[in-house]
């Protein structure tokens, strides 16, 4: 292990992306296929819609509505091989320090590894530790959910508020919303992330401190927003409970890797749920960061979610690339971003419970692959991470879909749907599914001027009513949104992100891009709060914005 660790901090040399044979071949191939319409591709192959599909681990993917043919797939798979994807997958799963800029292993897959398996980091099998924390979380959750855990005044806990931001918030919020149907409805869950005091104020306006449990979720336990909110929550709790410091132990728990800071804050480490530096923030919803999720859905459902993650991990690790869902989805993203120049990618879950899924994916994809240098530190010479965005269907159809259908941007879309409704109401679910199929069909095949004319449209109006089509999409269908299904879906995207990062030869697991703003804010805070007029040495714009704010603001009491 030690030898592997040593070599892993330096990236293994690889032929630059644009010099790889498959890349060059894809460039030539692109010129031919770019002009081919999906109408023709489907016309030439009546079985295309059945052939270009893949089913694994309970996920069905229809990728027939992509601007590809068999040669495209062959070349993309060749690109994966030339990019040493297999080797990189093995390196990640075996605990190599593939996050080279932070010298860390990348082992979210260990968080869902079954008891008894072994993944070694720095000479230690990390799996038993993962299960010890899961067991500790389960016993805590059972106590809170049953009412055995009492607040300081003896009242049972009815409100649970998670404080965290970024990876310590987006996963928990998304999972809570996604799995609400499975949640304990007698408990109220809230999530405070923003340093904007409104987030805190709205979360506490109608809850009783005596019945409120705070989870301070922070890997580092130093994040400005989280620690500011945590201290405000602490003051609010003490004020509401008569100022007794002992109350903190009953109303605060922590999820962190930083025991020293947790203790300093006043939380007993017995009430701290640990995770590790080999879990990236945006890959942590299945670690102790998911404590709020487990409190909401219960330990059994949480374990079912982990099993879903693990099933997709195993599929990704072992399936041949041509039958590998995340690999295929990742390669198709490369195809559009780097050859068609598509800058964004839309994600549209036709499932109301997944309303926060696009926001969650934004961090997963954009923080991971929004990078401008390769692992060797040289500037990339291709487009990396696309901008991910989306809203649940059918709402988006009545808003921004216009641009996807008739705008000038090519936006590959992921449509996600479930066969079973969680709330079967009349014909609603059939209508929902009819809409998702219709959108993918309309995007792919559009409507020709001839078709529009045939409908009796006056000539002047025809161009406005033409849909060019040839807009690509994935359709993902799963049986039902369950905790297990959610785990599979998240892992699918995690590994698709990894596939893309491997092709680009970038570090998908660091996030230096969020540092600079944080540092500058720390410099500006004292300048804003200074009682006397501070000497400012920023650019003229920043200087004058600070001065204007100092003049206009009202000092809060
Ligand atoms: C995620 C990022 C980032 C992080 C937050 C919160 O991959 O690292 O979003 O999760 O900045 O950090 P803490 O958990 O340390 O408070």
């Amino acid at each position: 292990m030690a030898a592997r660790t040593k070599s892993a901090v330096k990236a293994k040399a690889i032929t630059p992306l644009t010099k790889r044979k498959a890349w060059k071949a894809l460039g030539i191939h692109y010129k031919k296929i770019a002009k081919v319409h999906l109408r023709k591709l489907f016309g030439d192959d009546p079985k295309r819609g059945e052939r270009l599909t893949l089913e694994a681990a309970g996920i069905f993917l229809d990728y027939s509505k992509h601007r590809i043919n068999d040669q495209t797939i062959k070349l993309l798979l060749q690109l994966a091989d030339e990019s040493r994807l297999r080797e990189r997958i093995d390196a990640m799963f075996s605990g190599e320090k593939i996050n080279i800029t932070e010298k860390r292993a990348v082992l979210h897959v260990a968080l869902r590894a079954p008891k008894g398996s072994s993944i070694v980091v720095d000479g230690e099998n990390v799996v038993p530790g993962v299960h010890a924390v899961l067991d500790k979380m389960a016993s805590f959750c059972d106590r809170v959910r049953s009412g055995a855990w009492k607040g300081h005044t003896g009242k049972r806990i009815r409100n649970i508020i998670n404080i965290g931001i970024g990876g310590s918030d987006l996963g928990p919020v998304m999972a809570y919303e996604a799995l609400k149907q499975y949640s304990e409805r007698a408990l109220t869950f809230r999530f405070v992330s923003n340093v904007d005091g409104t987030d805190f104020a709205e979360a506490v306006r109608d809850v009783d401190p005596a019945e409120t449990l705070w989870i301070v979720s922070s890997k580092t336990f130093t994040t400005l927003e989280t620690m500011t909110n945590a201290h405000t929550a602490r003051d609010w709790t003490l004020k509401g409970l008569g100022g007794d410091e002992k109350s903190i132990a009953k109303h605060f728990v922590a999820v962190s890797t930083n025991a020293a800071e947790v203790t300093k804050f006043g939380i007993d480490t017995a009430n701290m749920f640990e995770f590790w530096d080999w879990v990236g923030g945006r890959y942590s919803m299945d670690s102790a960061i998911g404590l709020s999720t487990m409190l909401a859905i219960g330990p059994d459902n949480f374990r079912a979610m982990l099993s879903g993650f693990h099933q997709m991990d195993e599929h990704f690790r072992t399936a041949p690339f041509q039958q590998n869902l995340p690999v295929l989805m990742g390669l198709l993203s490369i195809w559009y971003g780097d050859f068609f120049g598509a800058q964004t990618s839309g994600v549209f879950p036709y499932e109301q419970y997944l309303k926060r899924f696009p926001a969650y994916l934004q961090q997963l994809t954009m923080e991971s692959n929004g990078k401008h240098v390769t692992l060797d530190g040289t500037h990339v010479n291709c487009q990396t991470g696309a901008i991910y965005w989306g809203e649940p269907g059918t709402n988006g159809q009545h808003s921004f879909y216009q641009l996807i259908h008739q705008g000038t941007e090519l936006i590959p879309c992921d449509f996600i749907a479930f066969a079973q409704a969680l709330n079967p109401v009349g014909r609603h679910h059939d209508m929902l599914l009819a809409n998702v199929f219709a959108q993918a069909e309309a995007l792919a095949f559009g409507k020709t001027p001839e078709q529009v004319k045939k409908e009796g449209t006056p000539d002047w109006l025809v161009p406005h009513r033409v849909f060019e089509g040839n807009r690509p999409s994935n359709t993902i269908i799963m049986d039902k949104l369950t905790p297990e299904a959610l785990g599979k879906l998240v892992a699918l995207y995690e590994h698709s992100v990894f596939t893309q990062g491997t092709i680009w030869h970038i570090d998908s697991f660091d996030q230096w891009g969020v540092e600079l703003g944080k540092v500058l804010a720390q410099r500006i805070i004292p300048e804003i709060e200074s009682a006397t007029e501070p000497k400012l040495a920023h650019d003229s714009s920043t200087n004058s914005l600070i001065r204007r704010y100092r003049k206009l603001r009202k000092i809060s009491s």
Side-chain angles (χ1 to χ4, degrees), residues 34-40 67 401-411 439-452 462-472:
K35 295 187 193 82
V36 181
H37 202 288
L38 280 164
R39 289 179 202 129
K40 175 157 174 47
R67 294 168 69 171
Y401 277 38
Q402 165 64 36
L403 186 146
I404 312 177
H405 283 287
Q406 287 190 310
T408 51
E409 290 292 315
L410 182 76
I411 303 173
Q439 288 302 321
E441 184 180 21
L443 287 169
F445 304 108
K447 205 172 187 186
T448 62
E450 293 69 38
Q451 289 171 313
V452 178
V462 170
H464 299 276
R465 301 193 56 176
V466 165
F467 288 67
E468 288 168 351
N470 222 9
R471 268 95 165 141

Side-chain angles (χ1 to χ4, degrees), residues 143-170:
R143 276 187 293 156
V144 174
R145 286 163 61 90
S146 69
W149 178 288
K150 300 267 185 285
H152 182 62
T153 63
K155 284 187 171 178
R156 69 181 287 174
I157 298 297
R158 298 197 186 279
N159 316 301
I160 291 160
I161 310 185
N162 185 76
I163 300 180
I165 197 163
S168 302
D169 169 69
L170 285 159

Side-chain angles (χ1 to χ4, degrees), residues 15-52:
T15 309
L17 178 55
T18 52
K19 296 219 165 74
R20 287 173 216 160
K21 279 195 194 126
W23 185 271
K24 290 187 194 161
L26 278 162
I28 297 166
H29 173 69
Y30 164 76
K31 288 198 181 116
K32 283 191 223 147
I33 206 164
K35 295 187 193 82
V36 181
H37 202 288
L38 280 164
R39 289 179 202 129
K40 175 157 174 47
L41 292 171
F42 272 82
D44 290 351
D45 176 4
K47 291 231 177 288
R48 183 182 169 95
E50 288 148 55
R51 212 165 53 79
L52 300 190

Side-chain angles (χ1 to χ4, degrees), residues 165-168 217-221 223 226 280-282 363 367 511 518:
I165 197 163
S168 302
S217 295
S218 176
K219 183 173 168 180
T220 55
F221 230 72
T223 306
T226 300
R282 55 195 174 275
Q363 180 185 29
E367 200 165 43
Q511 56 282 311
K518 280 194 201 171

